[in-house]
Amino acid sequence: MKNRWEHLFHGEFADRRALLSGLTLEQVTARPSAQTHSIYDELWHAALWQTIMVDRDEALYEETWQAGRRYPERPPHDLAEWNALVEDFLAGQARALAWTASPEKLHADVNPGESVADILSGLAVHTAYHLGKIGALRQVLGAWPQ
């Protein structure tokens, strides 16, 4: 049985690796409409926010998020770049779960009135939102495994 945190980060929908695997460069860069981001855009965004939150990277936050760079400026050059992003994202998920191993860490304040547990809960929701969009994009593109 998964604990609460494993469930928040890995429960309720498709396995993350499976959701992000088996795609071509054309599929990860496709934009089904002018209103959508690509699969690559969605994962890049989720991985960026995850790194900022999990690593508490204030410099990265200022350089990207605060500067309005919340999505990539260009698509990946090749599948190797996409695969590197997938691995970075999955490693970030593992780092997030590592924070949950210690009740002391979970209850530590990051900001006044905001604990590590609060940060991780928000991160889990944000990540689920973007992974859900990736699942929907795969369906629209006909790239959802049968």
Side-chain angles (χ1 to χ4, degrees), residues 2-54:
K2 293 180 180 180
N3 71 33
R4 170 184 178 227
W5 294 103
E6 289 172 333
H7 184 75
L8 280 173
F9 281 94
H10 296 143
E12 297 303 328
F13 56 92
D15 173 76
R16 270 77 169 143
R17 185 170 296 281
L19 180 66
L20 302 170
S21 296
L23 293 161
T24 66
L25 185 61
E26 181 180 70
Q27 290 167 331
V28 300
T29 58
R31 290 177 178 235
S33 74
Q35 294 77 27
T36 61
H37 292 107
S38 68
I39 291 171
Y40 176 77
D41 294 341
E42 293 294 342
L43 187 64
W44 188 95
H45 171 90
L48 172 65
W49 188 244
Q50 178 175 265
T51 298
I52 290 168
M53 292 291 98
V54 173

Side-chain angles (χ1 to χ4, degrees), residues 49-69:
W49 188 244
Q50 178 175 265
T51 298
I52 290 168
M53 292 291 98
V54 173
D55 297 343
R56 308 304 305 148
D57 193 329
E58 292 295 324
L60 183 60
Y61 176 73
E62 294 293 328
E63 172 188 322
T64 57
W65 213 262
Q66 286 296 94
R69 288 185 48 235

